[in-house]
Amino acid sequence: FAASSEAARHLEPFGVRFDILDRDATIAAEPALNPVAAEINGSVRFTDDERGDAYQFCTTLTDALTARGVKFLFNQAVTGFATQPGRISAVQTSAGDIEADSFVLAAGSYSTPLAAMLGIRLPVRPAKGYSATLHCKDNSHAPRMPISDNGVHAAVTPIDDERVRIAGTAEFAGLDTTIRQPRIDYLMSLLQKIYPKLADTVRPQDITPWAGLRPMSADGVPTISRTMYTNLLLNTGHGHIGWTTAMGSARLAADLACDLPPELDLADYSLNRF
């Protein structure tokens, strides 16, 4: 608790607002924690934090962009690149060649093998993360706000009025997205420590497991950068906070693509830092 409070204070000069809550104030803010009140020292509540449905966000954004003329090609494999000295002329795909003035490589954990086709060494590796989505409509023990428990390294988030998601743990298994049941069982054991009443009242058939690949960079910082190809940009390596940083990263990448001055110093995100 002391370490978390101190970490929050380091963010204060950057405009991050928060409240330091003692045990009673924490329970008042999130009554679902009452069964484990004796285990709680306090909490840091970030008053501007938001939650949402990442999948709904992506599908809504896709629809909005399609309406503006953007063309999406799903389930197509990139097989290679056509290049000229210092430039990419086309991306070769199973749907044919795609020519463009500029290209952005933003393929998450798959960015590394794609970059390798172009001779670019990109220190980004997949870290498989797990989640379990609980379908718990009308469950009185469900939380009403997201909770990140630094003690057990897990986060529990209400997605909407019917779903709660617990996420945590990581394993290095290459590009394998196989869901291992022991990992899901472990997540449920963490839920038992945070929200025991919820864990006890959710039926096994109401749990949807999931596993996905977090693109982890070697230093934990994303790469938003130009490359040795004048018309190729990188936007990858965001780890487990890809959605959190998606819009800001997209803005920086767009500034690069349009030769506009970026709002942040991109030296910290350059591929040249490695």
Side-chain angles (χ1 to χ4, degrees):
F1 174 47
S4 297
S5 301
E6 183 63 22
R9 292 188 179 96
H10 283 295
L11 299 175
E12 197 167 17
F14 301 99
V16 177
R17 300 190 299 173
F18 61 90
D19 298 323
I20 304 294
L21 307 182
D22 61 17
R23 175 184 297 157
D24 291 342
T26 299
I27 301 302
E30 181 48 86
L33 290 170
N34 190 59
V36 294
E39 306 292 329
I40 295 174
N41 291 312
S43 64
V44 181
R45 179 173 59 185
F46 293 94
T47 53
D48 295 323
D49 266 10
E50 298 178 345
R51 61 186 171 96
D53 184 332
Y55 177 77
Q56 181 181 348
F57 175 87
C58 290
T59 55
T60 302
L61 181 60
T62 300
D63 292 341
L65 292 174
T66 299
R68 296 183 66 175
V70 176
K71 184 178 180 180
F72 291 89
L73 297 176
F74 294 108
N75 301 313
Q76 304 294 336
V78 174
T79 58
F81 299 87
T83 62
Q84 300 172 349
R87 287 181 58 82
I88 295 175
S89 54
V91 176
Q92 298 163 337
T93 79
S94 54
D97 289 1
I98 301 174
E99 299 180 350
D101 296 325
S102 298
F103 299 87
V104 179
L105 178 52
S109 294
Y110 298 90
S111 299
T112 301
L114 290 172
M117 293 181 181
L118 293 164
I120 298 173
R121 181 180 176 275
L122 183 61
V124 172
R125 297 293 182 270
K128 187 197 299 186
Y130 286 83
S131 74
T133 299
L134 318 177
H135 301 270
C136 49
K137 183 180 180 180
D138 298 327
N139 190 315
S140 61
H141 305 296
R144 63 189 187 189
M145 69 172 62
I147 293 290
S148 178
D149 189 322
N150 291 347
V152 300
H153 301 289
V156 183
T157 303
I159 302 301
D160 50 33
D161 294 336
E162 300 183 6
R163 295 174 297 160
V164 172
R165 180 169 296 153
I166 178 169
T169 81
E171 64 184 19
F172 292 95
L175 297 174
D176 177 21
T177 56
T178 303
I179 298 174
R180 297 177 55 224
Q181 188 58 41
R183 288 285 185 173
I184 302 302
D185 294 340
Y186 179 67
L187 280 180
M188 295 306 296
S189 73
L190 298 183
L191 183 70
Q192 183 74 42
K193 294 180 179 180
I194 304 171
Y195 294 113
K197 295 289 188 181
L198 177 60
D200 289 342
T201 53
V202 172
R203 302 175 301 174
Q205 60 266 37
D206 293 331
I207 301 172
T208 300
W210 183 86
L213 303 175
R214 305 176 178 124
M216 300 296 298
S217 65
D219 60 359
V221 176
T223 295
I224 307 168
S225 175
R226 298 187 184 277
T227 66
M228 59 187 181
Y229 297 91
T230 57
N231 62 339
L232 174 66
L233 307 177
L234 301 175
N235 184 9
T236 187
H238 296 74
H240 65 286
I241 56 171
W243 187 35
T244 304
T245 56
M247 293 297 96
S249 297
R251 175 61 181 270
L252 293 176
D255 288 342
L256 276 179
C258 298
D259 291 321
L260 298 174
E263 294 185 24
L264 298 178
D265 183 357
L266 289 181
D268 291 337
Y269 307 99
S270 172
L271 182 63
N272 294 331
R273 74 185 188 272
F274 296 109

